[in-house]
């Protein structure tokens, strides 16, 4: 690809939107932007060894790094506020290793129910399950940059034959994108078993190996199917969520039904930036609602096939959505 100017934003409205949003909490280390850009330089020169570099990238919801970030403390604060606002019955306990977690703020008989690295969901002082978080801003760990199925990796590849100035813009743009999408509004929460291997199979299956490709819009579409009773009626059995939702072992049905209808789920989690006026999730590729025609064929629309221009537009659209949600959630947290 030659002399193709990278699109800094999809529209003037989106540009103003992202530039005017001032957030308080970024969860990457202060050295992130320099270190991540330097890593992308190595990728471009084929000098990267694809091993995580300390200080280069720390995913805020990474289990191994929970003690290095206030992410889970802030997320727990948000959840408990929403439970009280919507008069629901869950109490969320933060991970014991999260930096702001202290016994002074938790009843003594509840403190022993804390988990080292997960949020604990309790009801009537009994543990129901744990929660794990997953960023839906597309994978950005260093190890993914040797696989062109990932959008950020693919974008670098598409610009590899461009002029040096254009390639530099791309690396800076990706770095800024990762920083902005790793804020509080860029995550789903999934239930995991209270004991044993505590992974969410659905979350693991949502990656680039299948049609969901970690897309927030298609994931919200499947949640919509579930909360509208479509799975109970045997509809959309080919959805990735279908079998997970119907299995008692996953706790996903209990978790999602706690929020009632799909509109209530959206309102509780402040996901309005991702939802069109007609109630359908917004297609992150073109900004349009996911209509019936698209739904019938949405498994055929692969992000891996997008042009550089459409990839840039999609990433900017998603970044603006996440920043708007982050701002709304931060107003609750503070």
């Amino acid at each position: 690809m030659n002399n193709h100017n990278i699109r800094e934003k999809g529209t003037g409205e989106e540009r103003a939107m992202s530039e005017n949003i001032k957030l308080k909490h970024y969860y990457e280390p202060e050295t992130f932007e320099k270190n991540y850009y330097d890593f992308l330089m190595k990728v471009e020169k084929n000098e990267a060894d694809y091993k995580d570099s300390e200080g280069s990238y720390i995913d805020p919801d990474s289990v191994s790094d929970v003690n290095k970030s206030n992410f889970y403390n802030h997320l727990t604060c948000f959840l408990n506020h929403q439970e009280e606002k919507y008069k629901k019955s869950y109490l969320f306990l933060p991970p014991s290793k999260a930096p702001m977690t202290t016994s002074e703020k938790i009843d003594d008989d509840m403190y022993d129910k804390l988990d080292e690295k997960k949020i604990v969901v309790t009801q009537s002082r009994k543990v129901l399950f744990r929660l794990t978080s997953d960023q839906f801003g597309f994978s950005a760990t260093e190890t993914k940059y040797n696989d062109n199925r990932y959008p950020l990796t693919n974008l670098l590849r598409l610009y590899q034959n461009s002029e040096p100035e254009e390639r530099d813009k791309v690396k800076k743009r990706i770095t800024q994108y990762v920083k902005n999408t790793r804020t509080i509004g860029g995550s789903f929460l999934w239930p995991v078993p209270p004991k044993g291997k505590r992974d969410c199979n659905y979350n693991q299956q949502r990656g680039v190996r299948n049609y969901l490709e970690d897309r927030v819009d298609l994931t919200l579409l499947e949640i919509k199917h579930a909360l509208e009773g479509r799975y109970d009626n045997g509809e959309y059995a080919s959805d990735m969520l279908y079998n997970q939702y119907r299995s008692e072992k996953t706790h996903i049905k209990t978790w999602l039904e706690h929020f009632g209808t799909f509109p209530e789920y959206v309102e509780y989690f402040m996901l309005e930036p991702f939802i069109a006026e007609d109630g359908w999730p917004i297609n992150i590729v073109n900004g349009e609602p996911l209509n019936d025609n698209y739904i019938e064929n949405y498994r055929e629309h692969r992000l891996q096939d997008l042009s550089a221009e459409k990839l840039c537009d999609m990433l900017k659209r998603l970044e603006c959505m996440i920043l708007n949600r982050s701002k709304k959630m931060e107003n609750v947290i503070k």
Side-chain angles (χ1 to χ4, degrees), residues 218 221 224-225 230 236 239 280-281 289-301:
L218 298 187
L221 181 61
K224 187 175 189 293
H225 291 164
R230 302 298 187 90
Y236 296 105
D239 277 8
W280 290 97
L290 291 173
N291 58 40
D292 290 336
N293 292 332
Y294 189 90
I295 291 172
E296 292 178 1
N297 302 295
Y298 70 83
R299 291 172 178 79
E300 299 176 7
H301 298 264

Side-chain angles (χ1 to χ4, degrees), residues 201-220:
N201 290 333
Y202 177 63
N203 185 45
Q204 293 176 331
Q205 293 170 358
R206 289 173 53 247
V208 297
R209 294 177 179 83
N210 64 75
Y211 62 87
L212 286 176
E213 294 185 286
D214 272 336
R215 288 178 57 167
V216 57
D217 53 348
L218 298 187
T219 303
L220 285 172

Side-chain angles (χ1 to χ4, degrees), residues 297-312:
N297 302 295
Y298 70 83
R299 291 172 178 79
E300 299 176 7
H301 298 264
R302 302 288 291 179
L303 300 184
Q304 299 166 25
D305 300 327
L306 293 180
S307 67
E309 182 178 1
K310 288 186 177 181
L311 260 180
C312 289

Side-chain angles (χ1 to χ4, degrees), residues 138-155:
F138 296 117
S139 181
T141 57
E142 288 92 337
T143 55
K144 306 302 184 186
Y145 279 91
N146 62 348
D147 190 336
N148 289 330
R149 292 176 298 176
Y150 292 89
L152 301 182
T153 310
N154 196 24
L155 188 59

Side-chain angles (χ1 to χ4, degrees), residues 61-63 66 72 76 93-98 113-121 129-133 190 192-194 197-200:
D61 56 27
S62 171
V63 171
V66 66
Y72 274 117
T76 306
L93 302 178
S96 63
K97 284 192 174 183
K113 294 180 173 59
L114 294 182
D115 185 275
E116 287 188 352
K117 300 175 181 179
K118 303 288 186 184
I119 292 176
V120 178
V121 183
F129 42 81
R130 265 72 170 176
L131 290 179
T132 190
S133 171
W190 302 111
V192 296
K197 187 177 181 181
R198 290 170 300 172
D199 294 322
C200 177

